[in-house]
Amino acid sequence: MQAEKAAWEEELTNWTHEKDAYSLDMIEEQKKEPGSYLHPRQVLRELEKAMPEDVMVSTDIGNINSVANSYLRFEKPRSFFAAMSFGNCGYAFPTIIGAKVAAPHRPAVSYAGDGAWGMSLMETMTCVRHNIPVTAVVFHNRQWGAEKKNQVDFYNRRFVAGELDNQSFAEIARAMGAEGITVDKLEDVGPALKKAIDMQMNEGKTTIIEIMCTRELGDPFRRDALSKPIRHLDKYKDYV
Ligand SMILES: Cc1ncc(C[n+]2csc(CCOP(=O)(O)OP(=O)(O)O)c2C)c(N)n1
Ligand SMILES: [Mg+2]
């Protein structure tokens, strides 16, 4: 089992970015854009390495967050709060706020994509108002990645309503009375998380860490998501 685990760790370390044709095209395309964008898998590895002892982490629903679950290791029970089949975007932030209230002595971190963050970011004010310091990581890839992925795969890269044009989430956080950090260099990922945790534990501050990511896309939740359904009952035969 140890050998299998070690092999998996090595595979994850070497898997720096997605390798499907669409993701490779996105990576190339973004090199020509202004700004700097990071590979989600590398970001997830850096975050994992910088996690403090005794941390509690909640993860949201989305393309990057699904991949994120492979990059988290815990030594203690009651540490990992993944949405799993609950399946709701906007889950991770309120969940970690509740966990922090229950265990204020433990560092608390939530992960969310930019779309899911849009559904939950107003709770930043709850943290500030009620003195519940947490750290929220936002993967800013300017898309509803999980939804786009199904359309890219099944409709030959044609998609609707997949793009997200956002303002700066770090600035929005500051406007709500929290701290905000924007990260667009890989070497800044770990230090940003450590700084935010330090402010959470020692100064009682909530920090939003916005990480600029490429538009590459990991595996979908289901590879058959938009395939034609097979109808087993006669009464549904017309529904194709
Ligand atoms: C409340 C709710 N609305 C819609 C969905 C459908 N949904 C699943 S993943 C997803 C996209 C999430 O986008 P984002 O948070 O930006 O993460 P990304 O996929 O880009 O990593 C959506 C809309 C859902 N699961 N829950
Ligand atoms: Mg997104």
Side-chain angles (χ1 to χ4, degrees), residues 55-117:
V55 70
M56 303 183 286
V57 182
S58 64
T59 54
D60 219 287
I61 291 293
N63 190 272
I64 297 178
N65 271 259
S66 301
V67 176
N69 293 331
S70 294
Y71 289 82
L72 290 162
R73 316 273 175 269
F74 299 96
E75 301 296 331
K76 288 185 185 175
R78 300 187 176 194
S79 301
F80 188 21
F81 305 90
M84 309 295 283
S85 52
F86 199 16
N88 49 338
C89 284
Y91 153 91
F93 191 41
T95 297
I96 210 65
I97 294 171
K100 183 70 180 179
V101 171
H105 56 286
R106 299 185 66 185
V109 178
S110 67
Y111 283 3
D114 47 357
W117 183 244

Side-chain angles (χ1 to χ4, degrees), residues 95-169:
T95 297
I96 210 65
I97 294 171
K100 183 70 180 179
V101 171
H105 56 286
R106 299 185 66 185
V109 178
S110 67
Y111 283 3
D114 47 357
W117 183 244
M119 298 184 195
S120 49
L121 63 82
M122 73 295 280
E123 302 305 339
T124 307
M125 284 193 284
T126 308
C127 296
V128 172
R129 203 181 284 136
H130 295 285
N131 270 320
I132 311 167
V134 299
T135 301
V137 178
V138 181
F139 302 101
H140 191 161
N141 62 359
R142 300 178 293 164
Q143 61 185 357
W144 298 97
E147 299 298 339
K148 193 194 261 186
K149 175 69 177 166
N150 289 329
Q151 299 176 58
V152 165
D153 284 358
F154 282 90
Y155 303 144
N156 196 22
R157 298 191 180 196
R158 285 179 295 115
F159 50 81
V160 288
E163 305 283 31
L164 263 178
D165 194 6
N166 302 309
Q167 308 302 317
S168 158
F169 291 116

